[in-house]
Amino acid sequence: MNKLKEKVKEMEGRILKDDPILESAPDNVIPANSTDPEIAYQMVRQETYAQTNPMLNLATFVTTYMDEYATKLMNEAININYIDETEYPRVAVMNGKCINIIANLWHSPEKAKWKAGALGIGSSEACMLGGISAWLRWRKKRQAAGKPYDKPNFVISTGYQVVWEKFAQLWQVEMRTVPLSDEHITLDPQKAVEMCDENTICIVPIQGVTWTGLNDDVDALNQALDIYNTRTGYDIPIHVDAASGGFILPFIAPHVKWDFRLKWVVSISTSGHKYGLVYPGLGWVVWRDKSFLPEEMNFSVNYLGSEIYQVGLNFSRPAAQILGQYYNFIRLGFEGYKKVQKESMALAKYLWDEIGKMPQFKNYAKEVVNPLFIWHMDPEYNKTAKWTLYDLQNSLQQSGWMVPAYTLPNNLTDTIVMRIVIKQGFTKDLADMLINDIRNAVEGFEKLEYPTQTRLAYEREERQKGRVFTH
Ligand SMILES: *Cc1c(COP(=O)(O)O)cnc(C)c1O
C-alpha cells in the first residue's frame, strides 16, 4: 500500500513538475520529455484557434468549406502518399481521370485516352511546370537551330502573381512586364506582342488576376500573337494562368474563348483548392497534347496498359486532395459546379452593386467576371476624406471580417483598393451583415474631426508626388 502511495506521489510530483500547462510551448528546442496527448492537442489547438473565422475571411481564394462526405473522404486518406503508385495504383488512375476531366472542360484537342497533365501542390507548382515546359521546348528548338539559348524571357502583365517572379528568379528566365494602366486595366495584347523577340519562351495571360479579379483577353492576345508569329516565323506559345478562372469560365461563360480552343494556347494551370472547391493544397496543369510536354519532364508509368504521367517538382505529396477533387466532380457534376459558381458570382455582384451605390466608393471595373472584385474611394470624395480604406479594413476586422486593403502594382500604386473574394459557403445573410458593417464604419469615419493616422501617412506620400488635398 505504502509503495503504491509513494508511487502515486512520485507521479504527481512528476506531472506537476513537468506540467506543460505551467510552461510555455516550445519555440526553440524540442522538449526533453513527452506530453500527454490531450494536453499536447489543447496546446496546439489553442495556439491556432480561430484567428479569423474562415467564413468571414474574404481575403483568401482558398476553399474554406467542403461537405461532410468530402471531409470524411479526405480525412480517411490522410495517410496516403500519392507517389506510392505501386501500393495505391487506383489513386494514380484517379489523378489521371481528374486531369482528363479538367482537360475536357478546357476543350482539349488531345485524342489520346490519357491527357497530358499533372497535379501540383497549388497553382504555383502548376505555373512552374507550365513555364518550365515552355522554356525546355524553346531551348530544344534553339539548340537544334544552332542558336544561343542562354537568354530566355517571358511576357506577362504587372498584375502577375508572385509565383511568376519566383519562376523568373529560380530558373533565371527574364520577366518582361506589360504595365497595367487606367486605359488598360488588363494585359494589353499589342504591347505584350511588342515585347516579344526570338528569346521569348511564352506569354502568360491571367484568368482571374489576383489583384483585380479581371481576365486578360486571351482571344485578342491569340489573334495578335498569330499575326506576330506569322510575320516573324517564331512560334511563341501562350500559357494561361487560370488559377481562379479555370474553374469559373467553363461554368459561367462557356462561350468565352480563353482555352485550348485558341491556337496558341498550349498549357493552362489552375488551383484545385480555389474554385475547384477542394481544401488546400491542390493545383493542376494541362498541356494541349503530349507533344507539348517535354520528355525531360515526363516520367511515365505503365499501369494496366494505361500510361500514367508523373510530372512534378515534388516527390511525396498528399493523395487526399485528389480524392476530394474527384468526389466534387461526381457529387456536383457540371450543373452542380455551375450552380455553386453562379451563386458565388451572384453574391459578388450583389456586394459590388451595394458598394458601388455608396457615394464614398467607386468600383474599379465595369463588370464582375469572377466572384471577386475590388473598389476604391471615389476620387472626388478622396480629396476631402479623413480616412482611408486601411481604416475600413481595421474596423471590419473588429467585427471579425477579413477584407484586405492594398495598393495596386506599379503604374497604379496611387490607388488604395479593397478586395472581396466570394467562395462557396458565403450567403446573402452574411453579405447583408457585411454591407451593414461597412455602412456603420463609414458613418463613423464621416464624423471624424481629424484625419486618421493612415490618412496622414497617405497624404504625406501623395503630397510628395504633387497631389493637393483640400482640408
Ligand atoms: C493564387 C494564384 C496563384 C498561386 O496559386 P496557389 O494555388 O496559391 O499556389 C498563381 N496565379 C494566380 C493568378 C493566382 O491567383
Side-chain angles (χ1 to χ4, degrees):
M1 236 359 190
N2 265 354
K3 256 204 163 156
L4 186 60
K5 266 191 188 156
E6 254 168 50
K7 186 105 189 146
V8 168
K9 235 187 171 153
E10 184 201 314
M11 275 180 73
E12 276 174 356
R14 199 165 65 218
I15 287 169
L16 257 184
K17 197 166 110 253
D18 297 341
D19 196 340
I21 292 178
L22 301 178
E23 290 175 21
S24 341
D27 59 10
N28 204 13
V29 177
I30 187 168
N33 297 311
S34 316
T35 301
D36 185 78
E38 207 178 311
I39 293 170
Y41 169 83
Q42 289 300 346
M43 286 172 75
V44 176
R45 190 172 155 77
Q46 278 159 13
E47 242 186 86
T48 51
Y49 189 71
Q51 294 125 0
T52 300
N53 176 346
M55 284 300 162
L56 305 184
N57 180 357
L58 304 185
T60 182
F61 287 73
V62 173
T63 303
T64 46
Y65 167 84
M66 288 184 83
D67 72 26
E68 234 175 86
Y69 283 101
T71 309
K72 185 168 141 69
L73 260 178
M74 288 181 70
N75 282 336
E76 284 164 2
I78 204 164
N79 55 358
I80 297 182
N81 182 1
Y82 164 76
I83 213 69
D84 295 338
E85 292 203 343
T86 342
E87 292 89 333
Y88 315 114
R90 299 303 310 172
V91 175
V93 175
M94 193 176 286
N95 182 56
K97 290 179 179 184
C98 286
I99 290 168
N100 284 353
I101 290 170
I102 294 164
N104 284 320
L105 277 175
W106 297 340
H107 302 93
S108 162
E110 170 86 274
K111 296 277 183 302
K113 160 95 177 116
W114 298 101
K115 314 299 180 213
L119 89 158
I121 285 295
S123 268
S124 303
E125 189 182 1
C127 289
M128 288 275 177
L129 294 172
I132 293 165
S133 69
W135 167 59
L136 289 174
R137 288 192 311 262
W138 168 84
R139 197 180 67 165
K140 198 168 189 180
K141 270 183 215 138
R142 300 282 296 177
Q143 272 171 328
K147 289 181 175 161
Y149 49 87
D150 57 339
K151 289 194 169 57
N153 70 69
F154 71 103
V155 176
I156 193 167
S157 91
T158 46
Y160 64 82
Q161 209 265 1
V162 66
V163 62
W164 291 106
E165 211 172 329
K166 291 189 189 176
F167 170 73
Q169 290 200 24
L170 296 181
W171 269 268
Q172 292 291 293
V173 179
E174 183 200 346
M175 178 166 67
R176 296 186 174 171
T177 53
V178 184
L180 295 179
S181 64
D182 289 330
E183 296 77 51
H184 286 280
I185 58 176
T186 60
L187 176 75
D188 178 348
Q190 219 49 54
K191 282 235 170 66
V193 165
E194 279 163 23
M195 281 191 182
C196 293
D197 58 28
E198 59 180 347
N199 291 318
T200 303
I201 63 167
C202 65
I203 303 180
V204 182
I206 302 164
Q207 300 300 279
V209 175
T210 328
W211 301 90
T212 63
L214 298 174
N215 294 332
D216 291 334
D217 188 342
V218 192
D219 199 351
L221 175 67
N222 182 70
Q223 284 173 39
L225 190 57
D226 196 45
I227 294 168
Y228 177 85
N229 278 340
T230 309
R231 181 164 59 77
T232 56
Y234 304 154
D235 51 1
I236 298 170
I238 294 172
H239 172 90
V240 185
D241 176 356
S244 295
F247 274 105
I248 292 292
L249 288 161
F251 302 106
I252 66 149
H255 55 280
V256 176
K257 286 191 188 139
W258 64 277
D259 54 16
F260 295 121
R261 281 168 289 183
L262 302 172
K263 177 176 167 188
W264 294 101
V265 172
V266 307
S267 51
I268 304 175
S269 52
T270 195
S271 293
H273 57 214
K274 289 184 180 174
Y275 290 99
L277 309 176
V278 181
Y279 288 138
L282 181 65
W284 300 102
V285 56
V286 175
W287 284 271
R288 186 174 192 87
D289 63 51
K290 267 191 201 64
S291 67
F292 292 97
L293 175 56
E295 249 155 50
E296 304 96 297
M297 290 175 67
N298 173 15
F299 300 80
S300 77
V301 180
N302 253 305
Y303 170 67
L304 298 179
S306 353
E307 209 158 90
I308 303 288
Y309 292 95
Q310 239 180 263
V311 182
L313 298 182
N314 220 71
F315 189 66
S316 297
R317 64 179 77 235
Q321 279 72 8
I322 300 168
L323 276 66
Q325 185 76 77
Y326 194 56
Y327 168 84
N328 273 353
F329 287 148
I330 296 173
R331 164 78 186 98
L332 294 169
F334 188 90
E335 285 306 318
Y337 262 98
K338 188 167 154 184
K339 184 165 178 282
V340 169
Q341 315 302 36
K342 278 206 156 163
E343 281 170 2
S344 296
M345 283 297 290
L347 288 170
K349 275 190 180 142
Y350 173 70
L351 286 169
W352 181 79
D353 268 343
E354 292 300 310
I355 286 166
K357 276 188 223 157
M358 296 179 67
Q360 297 85 1
F361 298 139
K362 192 166 185 296
N363 280 314
Y364 179 71
K366 290 192 190 69
E367 52 180 355
V368 183
V369 292
N370 288 292
L372 65 133
F373 65 94
I374 60 172
W375 76 94
H376 48 78
M377 267 193 191
D378 178 84
E380 275 308 307
Y381 180 79
N382 186 37
K383 286 182 187 158
T384 57
K386 295 195 178 67
W387 54 285
T388 68
L389 290 175
Y390 295 120
D391 298 310
L392 181 56
Q393 174 183 326
N394 289 339
S395 168
L396 290 175
Q397 205 155 12
Q398 279 163 26
S399 328
W401 299 102
M402 184 56 222
V403 183
Y406 54 90
T407 52
L408 287 174
N410 294 338
N411 276 21
L412 305 165
T413 45
D414 286 353
T415 318
I416 304 172
V417 299
M418 214 161 194
R419 184 184 68 197
I420 284 180
V421 180
I422 299 298
K423 298 176 298 288
Q424 186 182 21
F426 202 69
T427 60
K428 173 79 170 21
D429 241 17
L430 285 169
D432 283 330
M433 274 167 55
L434 174 62
I435 285 293
N436 250 337
D437 287 341
I438 291 177
R439 287 207 186 103
N440 286 339
V442 170
E443 224 169 84
F445 295 141
E446 300 248 276
K447 292 188 192 125
L448 286 173
E449 267 182 58
Y450 300 102
T452 63
Q453 287 305 313
T454 79
R455 182 71 199 186
L456 289 172
Y458 167 75
E459 290 191 8
R460 238 182 343 262
E461 253 178 56
E462 292 300 300
R463 281 205 177 92
Q464 278 169 10
K465 295 182 209 152
R467 266 236 222 152
V468 181
F469 293 95
T470 50
H471 62 84

